[in-house]
Amino acid sequence: MEKKQALFNYLLRLADNSAILGHKLSEWCGHGPELEEDIAIINTALDLLGHSRSLYTYAGEVEGKGKTEDDLAFLRIEREYKNALITELPNGHYGDTIARQYLFDQFNYLLFIELEKSSDETVAAIAAKAIKEIRYHLRRSIEWTLRLGDGTEESHAKIQEAFDDVWAYTGDLFVQDDSDLVIIAEGIGPDLKAIQPIWREKVKATLAEATLLIPEDGWMHSGSKQGRHTEHMGHILSELQYMQRTYPGCEW
Amino acid sequence: MSEHELQAIFDRKIENEVKIEPKDWMPDAYRKNVLRQMSQHAHSEIVGMLPEGNWITRAPSLRRKVALLAKIQDEAGHGLYLYSAAETLGTDRERIVLDLLEGKAKYSSIFNYPALTWADIGAVGWLVDGAAIVNQIMLQKTSYGPYSRAMIRICKEESFHQRQGYEILLTLCRGTEEQKAMAQDALNRFWWPSLMMFGPSDKDSPHSAQSMAWKVKRMGNDELRQKFIDQTVKQADFLGLTLPDPDLKWNEEKGQYDWGQIDWEEFYNVIKGNGPCNKERLAARQKAYDNGAWVRDAATAYAKKRAERKNKEAA
């Protein structure tokens, strides 16, 4: 695979991760457990959407077909979205959202500190800007994992179950394909296989501090890099794309 | 000091435009009046997040989505700030919020109207925030210190929101026929409810006279409403949209617009709970409160455990 195609694929995956998780988080707006949490969760959604905009814009440049951030964000078919499956899962209760968020934040943080060193200057610049916010997201989702894990009996049970349920979607974060191999060879991004054990150690430590058990590594979902999604994705896209599909070619 | 003397000091402060501060003596009725207004204002910010929130996941571009989210985040911030300012009157936030959920406190009726199209997001910014600003500029001079300071801070962000809303509509009006029709439809639905935001005519408003005497309010409902109409007509013209009022006409003699009749029956109906979204709005707040209880409890329990551990380590 040529470098340009691999980079385009890679950027879309990163952008889709941020865009879809940002989309899910934004659904909490006005419905959070506390006003302060509404503000914090919107903040995270805003950061992630901001990252996706930079990444889509750069992906459009790399592709060289004149596509804008909105063309890429709104006008692909489901199979062309490459976000990790974990990002498209339903919000569930607040513990489900926190478990999903912590596992993703921990991954995203380890990924972006590597991307800061990317041989691609634009990727490195985007990562350097994003990592400050991702560091904050991680701190916040660790804090909430501790609060819920080591809070009340009820919250402990709820967040443990949330981690158990979401665990089978974590393997998908680390699957690599031909694009990844080019990206690694070119020094654009890290080898996810090298990140995985660090991720696991960090997660184990956080869960232990939260008095939670790390779930068993059993069978894992996969497919996001081929655009094979969960049933949830179509519903996300039907909302996300509603305006662009109903009124094609308009300025907003 | 006797209550009589305290009252005299309070009256003198009001007369001389000296702000009343939380620790100052104030008549119970004044405290109640300001708390009612401030809590109503705070609840409006929070309930107002819901109609706009309805469009976040469907916003037509990433730029608009981010701007809308940021706007709603500002509103949550305003709510938080107003709740804190209201707490200085001696009632805690939990109680103030419960009053909303129990139906004892009100919020602005405008948020009981649905946001049906993307153009509604523009109309809400332009008209609803626009009307709110007219009211809030007046409230910057309100006699209660913390409320006045909250208004000064909030006004700056609100004018930004209003411009943003107007800009959404301007884009639609310069777009396709379908987009312009969407904008006109939003204006048709939001115009009259926006005028109702200023409340009943002063002669029918139960709190107006006393609020004016205490300088909690500095201008009457009718005066504020007229000010809003006069400034908005030109803006509608510039968009090329028609305000849905056949009686709207410039009155040279008065130097202001004449306009038609508000359907007060609709206004009182919506206040009584018979608006398009009254039930949904309160139900959404109640659900967030109920579903969040275990999370808030966990945070409290964890904070307590952590403090105990720290104490043990220190000992």
Side-chain angles (χ1 to χ4, degrees):
Chain A
M1 186 183 292
E2 63 162 328
K3 181 181 160 189
K4 194 173 110 174
Q5 184 61 44
L7 179 57
F8 179 66
N9 292 347
Y10 193 72
L11 290 168
L12 277 187
R13 290 168 188 176
L14 295 175
D16 289 344
N17 277 349
S18 301
I20 299 302
L21 188 57
H23 178 100
K24 292 308 297 178
L25 288 178
S26 76
E27 291 173 4
W28 272 106
C29 180
H31 308 281
E34 185 106 77
L35 198 43
E36 284 83 348
E37 277 311 291
D38 266 16
I39 294 173
I41 217 161
I42 300 173
N43 223 31
T44 309
L46 275 170
D47 290 344
L48 289 171
L49 290 169
H51 305 166
S52 79
R53 293 182 69 186
S54 312
L55 291 160
Y56 282 134
T57 301
Y58 184 40
E61 284 169 24
V62 168
E63 192 194 29
K65 292 182 183 164
K67 286 197 183 139
T68 65
E69 57 173 22
D70 287 336
D71 293 333
L72 290 170
F74 293 92
L75 293 173
R76 284 174 291 149
I77 58 165
E78 181 172 326
R79 284 303 291 256
E80 292 167 332
Y81 284 83
K82 301 294 163 61
N83 53 288
L85 300 178
I86 194 171
T87 62
E88 70 199 44
L89 297 179
N91 285 341
H93 58 57
Y94 209 63
D96 293 319
T97 292
I98 292 297
R100 182 186 70 193
Q101 192 65 31
Y102 168 59
L103 296 172
F104 178 81
D105 285 343
Q106 188 66 73
F107 165 80
N108 215 29
Y109 174 73
L110 294 171
L111 174 60
F112 271 69
I113 46 174
E114 294 301 320
L115 290 177
E116 258 190 293
K117 303 175 223 156
S118 175
S119 63
D120 183 294
E121 279 176 26
T122 311
V123 170
I126 293 172
K129 192 161 170 274
I131 193 72
K132 296 183 192 116
E133 293 164 350
I134 295 170
R135 187 174 287 127
Y136 169 77
H137 302 166
L138 177 62
R139 204 157 56 208
R140 185 177 163 274
S141 58
I142 288 176
E143 265 298 306
W144 271 106
T145 301
L146 298 179
R147 281 189 196 123
L148 298 181
D150 195 15
T152 62
E153 237 174 83
E154 184 187 6
S155 72
H156 177 88
K158 276 192 147 115
I159 189 83
Q160 180 69 62
E161 193 182 4
F163 274 106
D164 293 345
D165 287 346
V166 76
W167 195 252
Y169 290 92
T170 58
D172 178 60
L173 288 165
F174 299 98
V175 173
Q176 302 198 117
D177 68 358
D178 290 348
S179 297
D180 290 292
L181 299 181
V182 176
I183 292 300
I184 297 165
E186 295 283 345
I188 296 170
D191 186 344
L192 297 177
K193 292 291 166 216
I195 288 183
Q196 193 165 16
I198 309 171
W199 176 85
R200 205 177 186 289
E201 278 312 302
K202 298 272 184 199
V203 169
K204 200 176 158 189
T206 303
L207 293 191
E209 195 186 339
T211 71
L212 297 167
L213 298 171
I214 190 162
E216 300 255 338
D217 279 330
W219 174 82
M220 292 280 176
H221 294 270
S222 65
S224 71
K225 286 187 175 171
Q226 289 81 50
R228 241 178 27 247
H229 290 277
T230 64
E231 283 185 347
H232 309 296
M233 189 64 182
H235 295 282
I236 293 172
L237 294 185
S238 56
E239 281 189 43
L240 179 73
Q241 300 185 336
Y242 165 62
M243 292 295 288
Q244 290 273 348
R245 297 289 191 200
T246 311
Y247 306 96
C250 288
E251 290 287 322
W252 299 100
Chain B
M1 229 182 288
S2 74
E3 183 157 334
H4 187 72
E5 286 166 310
L6 291 165
Q7 177 76 47
I9 296 171
F10 173 85
D11 291 343
R12 219 163 28 243
K13 279 188 184 157
I14 296 288
E15 196 188 321
N16 297 330
E17 302 285 333
V18 176
K19 299 284 180 232
I20 307 301
E21 296 299 337
K23 285 183 180 150
D24 295 349
W25 183 90
M26 62 190 91
D28 282 344
Y30 175 87
R31 186 184 297 277
K32 236 174 110 183
N33 179 302
V34 178
L35 178 64
R36 181 186 56 79
Q37 258 210 60
M38 290 180 80
S39 68
Q40 199 166 312
H41 198 155
H43 298 326
S44 300
E45 298 280 0
I46 302 312
V47 177
M49 293 166 72
L50 298 171
E52 291 180 307
N54 184 36
W55 275 91
I56 296 167
T57 57
R58 291 177 293 169
S61 73
L62 287 176
R63 183 172 77 95
R64 293 292 185 203
K65 190 190 292 283
V66 166
L68 178 59
L69 255 181
K71 176 184 196 266
I72 302 175
Q73 189 186 34
D74 284 347
E75 281 155 8
H78 296 169
L80 200 54
Y81 195 59
L82 281 163
Y83 281 131
S84 307
E87 278 187 316
T88 63
L89 289 160
T91 305
D92 64 23
R93 184 166 130 198
E94 174 87 6
R95 185 63 253 164
I96 297 173
V97 169
L98 285 173
D99 278 350
L100 170 73
L101 299 179
E102 290 163 10
K104 291 182 200 152
K106 290 193 169 61
Y107 54 89
S108 179
S109 271
I110 191 77
F111 302 118
N112 290 317
Y113 290 86
L116 300 176
T117 71
W118 174 249
D120 289 13
I121 298 304
V124 166
W126 174 38
L127 299 173
V128 176
D129 288 272
I133 293 166
V134 169
N135 197 35
Q136 287 168 7
I137 287 176
M138 171 271 288
L139 286 173
Q140 289 181 346
K141 295 202 180 103
T142 190
S143 56
Y144 187 57
Y147 195 20
S148 160
R149 290 188 288 275
M151 284 302 105
I152 291 167
R153 197 165 130 174
I154 287 171
C155 266
K156 287 184 194 143
E157 288 179 353
E158 293 285 10
S159 4
F160 180 71
H161 295 165
Q162 194 201 9
R163 278 203 299 278
Q164 201 170 282
Y166 189 72
E167 210 252 316
I168 287 176
L169 290 180
L170 192 59
T171 309
L172 296 181
C173 290
R174 287 176 178 169
T176 63
E177 281 305 310
E178 242 178 335
Q179 284 177 298
K180 193 166 176 185
M182 195 192 283
Q184 182 66 56
D185 174 58
L187 175 56
N188 293 349
R189 283 180 288 110
F190 275 95
W191 175 247
W192 290 105
S194 302
L195 297 188
M196 294 176 198
M197 281 175 70
F198 296 96
S201 184
D202 297 305
K203 59 182 190 323
D204 306 315
S205 174
H207 304 288
S208 249
Q210 181 60 73
S211 293
M212 295 279 276
W214 277 328
K215 295 184 179 172
V216 173
K217 287 180 68 166
R218 312 299 306 247
M219 283 164 87
N221 294 349
D222 295 314
E223 195 182 355
L224 290 164
R225 185 164 22 239
Q226 185 67 46
K227 201 171 163 201
F228 173 69
I229 292 169
D230 289 341
Q231 75 183 35
T232 307
V233 174
K234 286 182 287 268
Q235 296 167 359
D237 283 347
F238 187 75
L239 291 172
L241 296 177
T242 310
L243 293 171
D245 179 358
D247 298 325
L248 191 78
K249 200 167 77 241
W250 179 249
N251 185 324
E252 194 63 54
E253 208 174 298
K254 288 198 219 154
Q256 63 186 38
Y257 283 91
D258 290 334
W259 48 282
Q261 279 297 318
I262 288 177
D263 179 357
W264 291 113
E265 204 184 310
E266 175 180 325
F267 174 78
Y268 288 112
N269 243 321
V270 178
I271 284 194
K272 266 186 272 168
N274 302 319
C277 299
N278 296 52
K279 286 216 174 80
E280 284 92 330
R281 299 296 185 239
L282 262 194
R285 289 315 309 157
Q286 183 72 53
K287 195 174 160 201
Y289 185 80
D290 294 343
N291 290 349
W294 70 273
V295 179
R296 295 189 299 274
D297 290 347
T300 310
Y302 177 73
K304 202 174 148 215
K305 281 187 200 172
R306 186 149 68 174
E308 279 167 6
R309 277 197 289 262
K310 271 218 177 102
N311 282 343
K312 242 185 221 162
E313 277 165 30

